[in-house]
Amino acid sequence: MTAAVPILYVGGTGRTGSTVLDRMLGNVPGVFAAGELTWLWFALRSGGRCACGARHVDCRVWGPVLLATFPEDFGNPDAMAEVADEMFALRRRFDSRYLPVMGLPGAKQALTSRLGPYPSRLASLYRNLLEHTGAELIVDSSKEPHYSSILAARAELDVRFLHLVRNPQATAYSWARRRTELGFGVGHEMERRGPISASIYYDVSNVAADALWSGGDRYLRVRYEDLVASPDDTLRRIGRFAGLVIDPEVALGRQAADRKRSAPGHAAWGNPNRFATGPVTLRNDDEWERNAPRSMRTWTRLLAGPVGRRYGYSSRSDTQRGSGLAAT
Ligand SMILES: [Zn+2]
């Protein structure tokens, strides 16, 4: 039997710095950083682009992978559009709206049974990705805990869950900012959320990630602030968890990687940082400490504070200058 496809899944809520982490891991020889793969179908049907700048069907990585996964349809744009529409519609049958009910008895099974060919097609997509890139590990930064549970249910895939968390105040501030989405060319903005929506999303995503994964040897929690403060140690810790030897100098792009064993720069989807090249700049992005309005801080503290405290973010420090971290 063929060995299962090793996947390091970066999960949790949005705006946690996962694209930066994805870029770093993508520099490591033997790793293919796929970006937010859950959005591939959305990108295919709406004309989005891979991080290399090409449309996915024309990309030197995603083109052959899609051809191998959908050999009957790939050469026909109308048929591929239908595939993308169908995969997108199937994905919506089990999206983040269902996170709050996932803990109910039997809910996960009931929801996954509605997915039709979606899980088996995903399993072949990841297999083809591993084979085409020659990688030893795929990093998928889709973040959504429910999507990770679809992958984890497949025997063909071997999933480890890296739970990336960040101060809820920093994520709320990031959700509120206007940012240009570069994946469609010009004129598009990234999705924004107000503090109430951002906090609820923070809570359900993180609580679901904990409920689905924490406690086992397939789970590692990393705080974005620790990655920024101690990138070398944190990257080595991630490497031990994922079964990789990570040279931080290579991951941070300060030293050239073995190009034969890595193919950075083809994240299928993610925030605009995925288009960046060259050395990775890590910053705490503490602008919220100076600029977040009082109402944003209050709503976030009330709604996301209790879940944030699970990860060591004290509410008291939300109102203070500094790193925004509780002493641990
Ligand atoms: Zn590409």
Side-chain angles (χ1 to χ4, degrees):
M1 190 186 142
T2 319
V5 177
I7 297 172
L8 178 65
Y9 192 92
V10 180
T13 192
R15 309 299 165 94
T16 50
S18 68
T19 304
V20 173
L21 177 61
D22 191 82
R23 277 190 61 211
M24 287 191 277
L25 295 174
N27 284 333
V28 176
V31 174
F32 181 77
E36 299 180 21
L37 212 32
T38 184
W39 292 104
L40 175 64
W41 319 107
F42 164 77
L44 280 174
R45 68 204 286 274
S46 51
R49 289 170 192 274
C50 172
C52 69
R55 293 193 194 282
H56 297 84
V57 290
D58 300 322
C59 162
R60 70 180 175 84
V61 171
W62 291 106
V65 170
L66 288 166
L67 168 63
T69 311
F70 304 102
E72 319 257 296
D73 307 292
F74 185 79
N76 177 341
D78 290 339
M80 262 325 274
E82 262 179 52
V83 166
D85 279 348
E86 188 189 12
M87 292 296 277
F88 185 72
L90 289 168
R91 178 193 173 277
R92 279 184 59 81
R93 291 188 186 175
F94 190 23
D95 67 14
S96 58
R97 291 170 297 172
Y98 299 102
L99 276 173
V101 300
M102 273 181 61
L104 300 175
K108 202 167 94 181
Q109 287 78 1
L111 289 166
T112 46
S113 68
R114 302 166 64 205
L115 292 172
Y118 183 71
S120 64
R121 288 178 181 173
L122 289 179
S124 11
L125 182 84
Y126 287 89
R127 161 67 56 198
N128 293 326
L129 190 54
L130 191 81
E131 288 179 357
H132 177 72
T133 58
E136 292 149 28
L137 178 75
I138 290 170
V139 174
D140 181 343
S141 302
S142 292
K143 295 199 287 286
E144 303 171 328
H146 48 291
Y147 181 71
S148 77
S149 72
I150 297 171
L151 304 182
R154 300 297 303 191
E156 309 97 308
L157 308 176
D158 176 12
V159 185
R160 281 165 205 269
F161 192 94
L162 192 165
H163 188 183
L164 186 62
V165 296
R166 190 176 185 190
N167 188 320
Q169 296 286 353
T171 62
Y173 187 76
S174 177
W175 275 114
R177 270 200 316 203
R178 281 185 190 281
R179 292 189 72 182
T180 305
E181 168 54 73
L182 303 174
F184 300 113
V186 292
H188 289 266
E189 276 199 357
M190 284 180 74
E191 183 190 3
R192 296 168 72 203
R193 288 178 188 262
I196 296 175
S197 165
S199 295
I200 292 170
Y201 192 49
Y202 186 94
D203 292 344
V204 294
S205 305
N206 284 309
V207 168
D210 283 339
L212 288 165
W213 290 95
S214 69
D217 61 358
R218 314 226 129 228
Y219 175 88
L220 176 73
R221 184 183 297 149
V222 169
R223 301 197 305 184
Y224 176 73
E225 294 82 355
D226 293 341
L227 182 65
V228 174
S230 320
D232 291 22
D233 288 349
T234 309
L235 284 166
R236 289 199 186 96
R237 191 155 69 96
I238 292 170
R240 284 193 295 278
F241 171 67
L244 287 172
V245 176
I246 297 183
D247 179 343
E249 290 296 303
V250 170
L252 288 159
R254 295 181 194 139
Q255 202 179 93
D258 175 355
R259 305 295 296 189
K260 281 196 195 121
R261 295 191 59 232
S262 56
H266 293 280
W269 201 250
N271 89 15
N273 290 345
R274 75 184 185 278
F275 292 100
T277 54
V280 178
T281 309
L282 276 170
R283 53 196 184 101
N284 195 16
D285 211 357
D286 54 2
E287 202 180 307
W288 68 271
E289 294 179 17
R290 295 178 295 279
N291 298 338
R294 180 179 289 269
S295 63
M296 179 186 288
R297 291 172 194 241
T298 304
W299 279 116
T300 306
R301 186 168 60 249
L302 285 173
L303 296 175
V307 172
R309 278 197 288 280
R310 289 182 178 202
Y311 314 129
Y313 302 112
S314 80
S315 293
R316 197 171 56 82
S317 67
D318 294 343
T319 55
Q320 292 175 335
R321 289 183 61 89
S323 70
L325 285 177
T328 53

